[in-house]
Amino acid sequence: MIVAVMARTRRRVMVRCPIVKGVDLPHLRYFVAVAEERSFTRAAARLHMAGSPLSQRIKDLERELGTPLFIRAHHRIDLTDAGEALLPRARDILDRVDALPAVVADAQRHALRPAVIGIAPEVTPSVRDNVLDTLADRHPDIAAQLLPASTAPLLRDLRAGAVDVALVHGPVDGEGIDSLLLERSPVGVAVGSKIVAGQPDSITLGELAHVPFASINHEAAPEIYRNLDRLLDRHGVRKRITLPDDNFAGLAHLVASGQAFTLISLGEGIGGRMFAGEAVQVIPLRDTRAHISTVAVWSHRRAEAEPLIADLVDVVRALR
């Protein structure tokens, strides 16, 4: 009877003791194990440690909190009021801590991976949309950012690592660069209606030898323009007008006014849209099989070392 009264008195005192900060997570684990097992021996076995160190850790926790957490009786351990109050909170803290690895793993699974995809002016909407749609379907965790530019700058950025995959106009050569043909479109002539009589079904370059050929800066795609110059020379087209930079608007003015002609893709590229509403005819070529190729290019080294690049390559290969 005296023991019971003393126990009740001790419990009332424990509730009024202040709780201080600085509790370690391992101490909370020790406390929860003892509270659930109601035995230092069973709790020590559960924690894979000896009973004496466990008892000492509980005493350290009680000293840190400034109040006993257990009533230690012969062959029995009970929680004090402070221990009862602490137990659900300690369980909640430990559950939250134990859940952190899963939270981080889930965040990693849902984190978007940014990717820069370079795209040249004559890439058709169908190629562009097929790449983006396939990317969204096969790798929804990749967030694509399109970087419009001409072929040469995009290849420089690709080699520098600023572009992950580029959709450019080929052929593309270079050490460490892999490429895949995505589309080949025939080339036609864009010429002012005042230069060509009627509406011919086709035309030869020789028929336009007296008209200057206009183009944007050849540095935009040097390999393409080297091949194009050879083609024009073979057909007697000697006069050239080269506009600075990617001045497509200026190119449209020259062609529509009859001062020059140019070559454009007969596909869905920018060429047809550039002359919309202008007095310009787009006529297929009869004497040549000239075409413009769209290729996807990437760094071979990065594709082997980086999962992001490998996934982007997986997308463009799926389009074949």
Side-chain angles (χ1 to χ4, degrees):
M1 181 66 177
I2 293 175
V3 173
V5 171
M6 289 177 62
R8 286 195 297 271
T9 302
R10 287 166 60 195
R11 290 171 72 122
R12 286 196 296 272
V13 172
M14 293 165 194
V15 174
R16 297 189 181 95
C17 291
I19 295 180
V20 297
K21 62 182 180 179
V23 177
D24 293 333
L25 285 173
H27 285 132
L28 288 183
R29 293 193 187 279
Y30 301 148
F31 164 72
V32 170
V34 175
E36 291 178 347
E37 299 292 342
R38 298 301 172 99
S39 165
F40 280 95
T41 301
R42 290 193 297 272
R46 168 174 156 180
L47 295 167
H48 306 290
M49 63 187 299
S52 179
L54 175 59
S55 179
Q56 184 58 51
R57 298 297 179 272
I58 294 298
K59 289 177 181 178
D60 293 342
L61 177 60
E62 290 174 327
R63 184 167 56 253
E64 187 70 35
L65 294 176
T67 182
L69 300 172
F70 296 101
I71 301 172
R72 297 164 175 82
H74 186 61
H75 297 306
R76 181 175 176 79
I77 294 178
D78 289 318
L79 286 166
T80 64
D81 287 348
E84 292 282 4
L86 177 61
L87 182 58
R89 290 168 175 78
R91 284 172 172 157
D92 180 63
I93 291 171
L94 294 175
D95 287 344
R96 289 172 183 265
V97 171
D98 292 340
L100 288 179
V103 170
V104 172
D106 186 65
Q108 289 176 327
R109 283 193 297 270
H110 292 86
L112 292 178
R113 295 181 290 162
V116 178
I117 299 178
I119 184 167
E122 279 287 333
V123 173
T124 63
S126 60
V127 168
R128 178 199 64 208
D129 293 345
N130 283 341
V131 169
L132 294 179
D133 291 346
T134 305
L135 178 62
D137 181 59
R138 297 174 77 95
H139 301 284
D141 62 318
I142 296 179
Q145 174 188 348
L146 291 181
L147 178 63
S150 296
T151 293
L154 287 177
L155 290 176
R156 287 196 296 268
D157 287 344
L158 182 78
R159 291 187 173 94
V163 167
D164 299 313
V165 165
L167 309 176
V168 298
H169 307 306
V172 174
D173 297 318
E175 184 177 354
I177 299 296
D178 288 341
S179 65
L180 185 70
L181 177 66
L182 297 181
E183 185 178 69
R184 179 175 288 157
S185 300
V187 170
V189 170
V191 60
S193 296
K194 63 180 65 176
I195 293 180
V196 179
Q199 294 181 326
D201 294 330
S202 62
I203 197 170
T204 67
L205 288 174
E207 294 176 68
L208 297 170
H210 63 290
V211 182
F213 169 76
S215 67
I216 61 173
N217 192 330
H218 291 193
E219 292 303 313
E223 186 64 27
I224 291 177
Y225 282 108
R226 275 194 292 270
N227 293 335
L228 185 56
D229 275 338
R230 289 192 288 266
L231 174 67
L232 293 170
D233 287 341
R234 283 201 307 270
H235 292 273
V237 180
R238 309 296 181 189
K239 299 176 182 179
R240 307 280 197 277
I241 300 176
T242 303
L243 300 179
D245 302 322
D246 295 344
N247 190 358
F248 288 103
L251 190 62
H253 288 313
L254 288 176
V255 173
S257 63
Q259 297 182 43
F261 78 94
T262 194
L263 297 177
I264 65 171
S265 167
L266 295 180
E268 312 165 53
I270 193 175
R273 301 193 299 275
M274 183 169 59
F275 298 110
E278 297 279 8
V280 172
Q281 294 190 52
V282 178
I283 309 169
L285 282 170
R286 186 169 67 247
D287 58 347
T288 178
R289 294 183 179 179
H291 62 266
I292 183 167
S293 298
T294 298
V295 296
V297 293
W298 62 89
S299 163
H300 179 76
R301 177 187 58 79
R302 291 187 65 194
E304 288 188 335
E306 301 177 32
L308 172 65
I309 309 303
D311 289 342
L312 293 173
V313 173
D314 167 70
V315 168
V316 297
R317 289 193 187 283
L319 301 178
R320 291 300 303 273

